Amino acid sequence: MNRRNSQFDAYVLEIHKVLDQLDYYHLLGVQPGAGVSRVREAFLSIAAKFHPDRNRDASDEVRAALYEIFKRLNEAYRVLCDPQKKAVYDQGLAEGRVRLEQTHRAAGPKSPEDALKSPQARQFYRQAASDLKRGALMQAELNLKLASTHEKSPNAAIEALRAKLEDAKKQKGKN
Amino acid sequence: MGLAVGIDLGTTNSCLAVVQGNKATVISDHIGRRIHPSVVSFLPDGTSVASYEARERQITDPRNTVSSFKRLIGRDFNGPEAMASLADLPYEVGFGPDHVPLIRVRDQEVSLPEISALMLRHLKELCSESLGAEVDKAVITVPANFNDVQRSSTKIAGRIAGFEVLRILNEPTAAALAYGFGGERSEKIAIYDFGGGTFDITIVELAGDIFKVLATAGDTALGGDDFDTVIVEEMRADFIDKHGVDLAGNTVAMQRLRLVAERVKCQLSCLEHVEATLPEIAENRAGRAIDFHFKMSKSRFEGLCRPLVDRSLDVCVEAFKLAGIDRSSVDNLVLVGGSTRIPLIRNLVGREFGVRPRVEINPDEVVAIGAAIQAFSLTRYQMSRPSAPPEPYAADKRCSSAPPVVWSDGPKGRESSGPLPAVLDVFSDASSDAKSCEGAGGEPPAGGSRRRPSDDFGWLDLGLSEPPEEPHVKAPRTSVIKRRKDVVHGAPSWPPMQQGDAFSVDIKVGATNALLLDVTPRALGIGTAGGFCDTIIERNAAIPVEQSRLFTTSYDGQTEVVVNIYQGESRRVSDNTRLGQVLLSSIRAAPRGEIKIRVTFEIDTDGILGVFARNEETGEAQSTRIVLSGGLDEITVRALVEKYASE
């Protein structure tokens, strides 16, 4: 059991070389239409032989390659078992992208008021912004004040709008 | 070459086990003690002692005796948990650069990995003595919800103690391994781990000898201590009713209540009523000392505990959702942690899952045994690591005739009979001989046949049905309670164990060839503008895992980019735990947005974060530095490893 097969090792290194060109289906050896249970079966049978823990007697080079391969296998498995991710992946794959590239998804604020925690504050903030746009500085100031009373902690979006408002007031004063 | 052991480095107690001759054995010290208090004490002469010897010193020298260090390791000193636990600590905690908590003992400052290392070194010596052989490798367990810094700090502690740390293993996963389920049938196991300080639920899918963790979830603020608290609150209310005095502000009295509450809790696991007397707990308005008599029934206790147990069951629901399975598909339920001795928990959890909980292996030892099994299966492949690759034993022509290059012809060429699966099958014999060695794997779980017929959810009641008129006053007489009042408590005095007795010597190992596929408990994200968190690696992603992101400069001539890393699922950074920063430095000064740096975040098989960065244009490695809050840097670690090795 402890005798390594050098052909296996050579094979591992070969896979590692072309890893970045392999799509998830080829990597797992399943057809694009394969169901979750087939994907799972394929993943487990590969894991049984290719997991780094099963190859601790391999050379450092082979172990490093196995480690990289296994990370990609985990990625492939996760994507192919998740219908939503799979759909996005298939679309990308049709355009030649073999990995599901995580783009900056909607984690960050889409608009400045998204950064406000309180829903009321968001409402007042939006009102203040539109007031400012149409030049109703008094109303903008009032709404902004209301927004900041609802938002307990200091907020960058409110501060930014306040600065704009101050600028607009100065501008108006000059005129 | 030394032996490999499994270490459960616990908050209160630690336990050690080893696999030899297909049997897992708990390693006991020279007088047969199987668990070892996790306490380190610093002596006036500059040396230190650990375990029982150190615990003795908690009374005589509390300021220089460090217990509960697991609560502090890898924590940001300013974090809420660290602050909360500080209040109870009799020793002094300070902090160093990067918020690293340091313990001040005998005019020196000692880091937490060092203190853990002193405990581990004691355990290492204990192993060597007991086994009569050198022990230099270990699998060390941590709670499933430990974050990156806590894990890496634990691993560092192992290195300082002179271990090659084979793996940082999640405690529930270790417990699943200890039960050695297995065989050909695929099954699902839920591990309900209710420890002293935290609650974890892990769901494992077992296929052959592969343990795949489907999901893990937990509540870091829910633990056995909360059961003590409900009793303390009950006592306090009772005292107000009887004597009109609120003990809340009386620290000494409250501490005494807490100690007694813990004992009441343990007693109520097997008795219907418990009474306690706390002499001279406080003074009334006339200045006269009041003795406090307190009674509690099991049903009252269970009523108070119910919300806590329900909270844990809510976490279970969350875990099942994450795992994408129904709770009715659970084949086995394993209970881990001292709190699972409470009959109410056994009953409710068993009912919830619809299966009888497995409790045969002593919950104090089950994790260490699982760790030992993992240590064994990790080293068995390493035993005869050859210096030169051996000759191929099966010169299979198909290997060379079907080179993997074939599938490099682009994503579109995916024939159904792609060469990859075929070639993988060639190697199926590579593991078949290993498989034949684990004959025990196919047997039913060792515990099944040895259960007593009376074993049921409420078996503890049956064994100890006591005459109710007997007042079980473990009344702490004055002298006793006075002596105990300032002692940081060690192991709680649970009722005599019935479970685990038959197995307390050796556990037959069924899963020596087990392969564990674990997950990362929390999402990993980076901070973005406006206090938001951009998730990079999802919660419960199988490890090892990596994801990369492209970063660019945001102003002209910027030579440094700072990336804040967080752990947690919330979109807002304020709700997540800040792990630290990645600094990308020595960037070529250029107009904003011109330089693109690809940063790869990796979580390795120990659940520990690694960060690599590469300049997209040049392909060169970008210099990076990770600063983890509460963690030690590599230079400090190396220095410590050398320092302790030379001692």
Side-chain angles (χ1 to χ4, degrees), chain A residues 24 75 78-91 100 102 105, chain B residues 538:
Chain A
Y24 296 160
E75 182 181 312
R78 193 167 64 253
V79 171
L80 297 190
C81 286
D82 181 327
Q84 281 179 334
K85 287 202 186 91
K86 187 174 185 288
V88 177
Y89 176 71
D90 287 342
Q91 221 170 2
L100 179 67
Q102 262 192 356
R105 288 163 309 148
Chain B
E538 289 166 38

Side-chain angles (χ1 to χ4, degrees), chain B residues 475-496:
Chain B
R477 287 313 314 172
T478 323
S479 56
V480 178
I481 198 74
K482 285 263 162 76
R483 191 171 58 77
R484 291 174 61 92
K485 72 179 173 189
D486 291 326
V487 178
V488 177
H489 216 29
S493 53
W494 290 102

